Amino acid sequence: MGQTPAQKAAKAARGQQPKKRPGKAQREAIKRAQAAKKAGGGKPAAKKTAAKKAVPLPRGSLRAAYPGTCPACFKDYAKGEVITKVTDGWGHPGCVPRQMSAAEREFARNKARIESGETFRGQKPSDWRRGASPSSTRPAR
């Protein structure tokens, strides 16, 4: 609804100016600023670096609160460097011994038995005879 001249004067006296629609040049400038903000160019560079997400650390790792020495390789690590639990304390993630699979452990056991001189010939000999089935074998003496 329209305002009377007295209402307009009272509004102006209180410091409230009637809203004016921006001109064509101002509207285009506002549109460009909004498009740049959507594209990511609206923030200053200093704020962008502070707003970056921290890189997630590998599971079981953390950043060193103070400098120290890795117990596995005896090399120093600096404050803030990524460290993880090693056998005797905290150290470099690359110094952690790799966990072997079950097949690798069995292979290592068999290899150690062979290298120690123990062979598989010492096991019980087969009861099988050439040309006969296992059911027709004679008992071992």
Side-chain angles (χ1 to χ4, degrees), residues 11 16-22:
K11 209 179 213 186
Q16 295 177 348
Q17 297 293 327
K19 271 193 169 178
K20 287 187 177 181
R21 186 170 178 221

Side-chain angles (χ1 to χ4, degrees), residues 87 93-105:
T87 52
C95 297
V96 177
R98 190 178 69 82
Q99 295 293 323
M100 290 196 300
S101 67
E104 289 172 322
R105 285 193 301 271

Side-chain angles (χ1 to χ4, degrees), residues 28-65:
E28 288 175 3
I30 291 170
K31 284 182 184 178
R32 279 194 306 270
Q34 288 173 344
K37 190 173 183 181
K38 281 184 182 178
K43 294 182 181 178
K47 286 187 179 179
K48 273 188 177 182
T49 55
K52 273 190 180 178
K53 274 190 166 180
V55 178
L57 298 174
R59 187 174 180 167
S61 303
L62 51 86
R63 296 208 179 270

Side-chain angles (χ1 to χ4, degrees), residues 64-81:
Y66 49 87
T69 305
C70 175
C73 66
F74 300 107
K75 291 183 182 175
D76 294 333
Y77 56 83
K79 177 183 177 182
E81 194 173 327

